[in-house]
Amino acid sequence: MPQLDINGKTVAVETDLDRSLLSLLRDDLDLTGSKYGCGEGQCGACTVLIDEKSARSCITPVRAALGKKITTIEGLEKSGRLHPLQEAFLETEALQCGYCTSGMIMSGISLLRKNPNPPREEILRQMEGNVCRCGDYLRIVAALEKAARAIKEARK
Amino acid sequence: MIPRGFEYFAPRALNEAVSLLQQLGPDAKILSGGQSLIPMMKLRLASPPYIVDINRIPDLNYVSEANGSLRIGALVRESDLEISPLVGSGYRLLADTTKVIADPLVRNQATVCGNLAHGDPANDHPATMLALEATIVAISPRGEREISIRDFFTGLFSTALQPDEILKEIRVPTPPPRSGGAYLKMERKVGDYATAGVAVQITLDEAGVCQRAGVGLTNVSFIPLKAAKVEDFLKGKPLDAAAIKQASEIAAAESQPMDDIRGSADYKRDLVRVLTARALKQAIDRAKGGA
């Protein structure tokens, strides 16, 4: 039976493999943190990490993800502690309705893994694929900057 | 939306993929990054009955220099090109281009070769590759063949690739010394296609006279446009302010834009003029060793 590696767990997949990864995550596996926004690969609400890189799960067929390491927002918490970027989103109140938040955080993590200390310009450029309809962008950028500082502090 | 049903194949070798294409016939589509094809399928603009996913084929993900050219394999993602030191130092036009394609989520998955094979005049790499005089390597059951980029784009969403051919590699000639390039694009909002885009690649001689010029235009015709009149005009001329001005006017006249939601044809022609002048200035600065 085909298997997926989701948040470090091996999951057997008994479904039509041509479905979108997002639909499998939400409807079958109850991982509803990834959101269905536009469904057309425009808004970024469905962002997950595939082999550590941010990707839109609404335009990723399940079959294309077989054998790859998938991380969703549910996979970020480690032994009861949120990821520093999740903490930073809460502390800076970087959300209003919250629908874009998990996608924003997954894109942000992809960015911080590539560049742990991104200048503001780089944050703006690398977060271009995620849309916030509430317009909370300034706080989202602030949250990313805060998380970058927190990660740096934690490494000292 | 949900795409129509399709049969999915994931060959693990290139020759297997090629024979699958031959077997399945012209209705099969190749899936690489899937950032154009899958949205098109979800919107039901395309409903291919067969998908041949080439992502599990080994040895197609390379960016390297050999025999005087940069080689980009079929599975190289835009984000790979974006962080390649080789591309960043020696192929500034390519580096410029890859940075402004769609958004980071798309660039993590989308392939450079797919950007050409899709045959969309709104895509960015076609203009770039026209300016750089790239060569396309296609593989089929009959073996490999090389296609000049000049002959590659044959119509709207149409290329010189046969239904049983796979775009295996792009070869970009390594620019000689005193070369420079730049890509400039105007987009209405992040992730939108270009209202217009201009790719310029030039080589100067020691006296600053233009030896070679390549100019490609994005989204101002039904196919990616090679601005041959501008190229001819630039060759043999010292590239001073007057030459830049005249070249940009020729580019505007050579473009064939249409009125659409991104603007009127007149506006786009003027945009081509402005972007050509700016891209030329930047390319000249870079050819002279500047940033």
Side-chain angles (χ1 to χ4, degrees), chain B:
Chain B
M1 267 170 65
I2 296 171
R4 283 207 179 82
F6 53 90
E7 239 185 293
Y8 181 104
F9 302 85
R12 287 178 186 269
L14 202 49
N15 57 6
E16 201 188 316
V18 166
S19 54
L20 261 172
L21 287 182
Q22 203 178 28
Q23 217 175 294
L24 298 170
D27 292 336
K29 284 297 277 181
I30 294 174
L31 175 73
S32 56
Q35 302 297 295
S36 296
L37 179 60
I38 292 181
M40 281 178 90
M41 288 166 66
K42 293 193 90 172
L43 294 167
R44 301 214 175 182
L45 294 170
S47 297
Y50 310 114
I51 293 291
V52 179
D53 181 346
I54 59 170
N55 283 283
R56 283 162 213 276
I57 299 174
D59 306 326
L60 290 178
N61 185 5
Y62 55 87
V63 181
S64 59
E65 259 177 345
N67 300 330
S69 58
L70 181 78
R71 283 140 201 261
I72 303 170
L75 290 179
V76 173
R77 317 284 156 177
E78 296 292 351
S79 58
D80 297 329
L81 217 56
E82 212 174 334
I83 56 166
S84 159
L86 185 60
V87 173
S89 59
Y91 302 84
R92 296 293 293 276
L93 171 53
L94 275 185
D96 276 10
T97 311
T98 193
K99 283 187 182 130
V100 297
I101 288 173
D103 60 51
L105 292 162
V106 169
R107 292 197 291 272
N108 278 343
Q109 309 298 325
T111 63
V112 184
C113 288
N115 198 275
L116 296 187
H118 190 44
D120 186 345
N123 278 357
D124 298 289
H125 276 306
T128 303
M129 297 299 174
L130 283 166
L132 286 164
E133 302 270 6
T135 298
I136 304 301
V137 181
I139 182 165
S140 76
R142 298 170 297 286
E144 279 187 21
R145 70 171 175 130
E146 293 184 3
I147 309 166
S148 160
I149 193 74
R150 288 164 180 268
D151 306 321
F152 189 69
F153 303 106
T154 54
L156 188 63
F157 294 104
S158 305
T159 69
L161 291 171
Q162 297 298 309
D164 61 352
E165 278 183 318
I166 294 177
L167 200 170
K168 185 191 162 195
E169 182 179 281
I170 303 168
R171 289 185 190 156
V172 177
T174 304
R178 291 184 302 277
S179 294
Y183 185 68
L184 291 178
K185 164 186 184 177
M186 172 79 141
E187 53 185 18
R188 293 178 308 164
K189 63 179 180 70
V190 164
D192 190 22
Y193 292 109
T195 305
V198 178
V200 170
Q201 176 74 23
I202 54 151
T203 303
L204 304 175
D205 69 9
E206 278 164 16
V209 172
C210 179
Q211 295 285 94
R212 190 200 157 274
V215 180
L217 305 179
T218 300
N219 216 9
V220 286
S221 171
F222 69 100
I223 56 169
L225 211 60
K226 188 164 174 67
K229 285 178 192 156
V230 183
E231 295 175 352
D232 289 343
F233 169 80
L234 290 169
K235 262 173 252 170
K237 286 203 179 56
L239 299 183
D240 53 16
I244 292 172
K245 183 168 183 288
Q246 219 180 325
S248 64
E249 283 160 7
I250 297 171
E254 210 170 356
S255 67
Q256 301 156 13
M258 287 192 303
D259 296 342
D260 66 12
I261 49 162
R262 294 188 181 86
S264 67
D266 285 345
Y267 166 68
K268 292 181 190 178
R269 253 190 300 274
D270 206 48
L271 196 53
V272 168
R273 182 182 64 78
V274 172
L275 294 178
T276 302
R278 288 181 191 166
L280 259 171
K281 270 182 212 146
Q282 198 168 9
I284 294 164
D285 283 348
R286 286 174 174 176
K288 290 178 175 168

Side-chain angles (χ1 to χ4, degrees), chain A residues 21-22 25 33-35 44-58 60 69-74 102-103 106-107 110, chain B residues 105 108-109:
Chain A
L21 177 61
L22 177 66
L25 292 172
S34 310
K35 301 300 180 199
C46 65
T47 303
V48 299
L49 302 185
I50 300 180
D51 284 347
E52 308 283 318
K53 279 182 175 180
S54 53
R56 292 187 164 108
S57 60
C58 82
T60 305
K69 193 169 167 267
I70 298 154
T71 310
T72 70
I73 188 90
E74 291 88 350
S102 65
M106 299 318 283
S107 273
S110 179
Chain B
L105 292 162
N108 278 343
Q109 309 298 325

Side-chain angles (χ1 to χ4, degrees), chain A residues 29-50:
Chain A
L29 304 177
D30 216 21
L31 295 170
T32 52
S34 310
K35 301 300 180 199
Y36 183 100
C38 66
E40 296 170 8
Q42 296 279 333
C43 75
C46 65
T47 303
V48 299
L49 302 185
I50 300 180

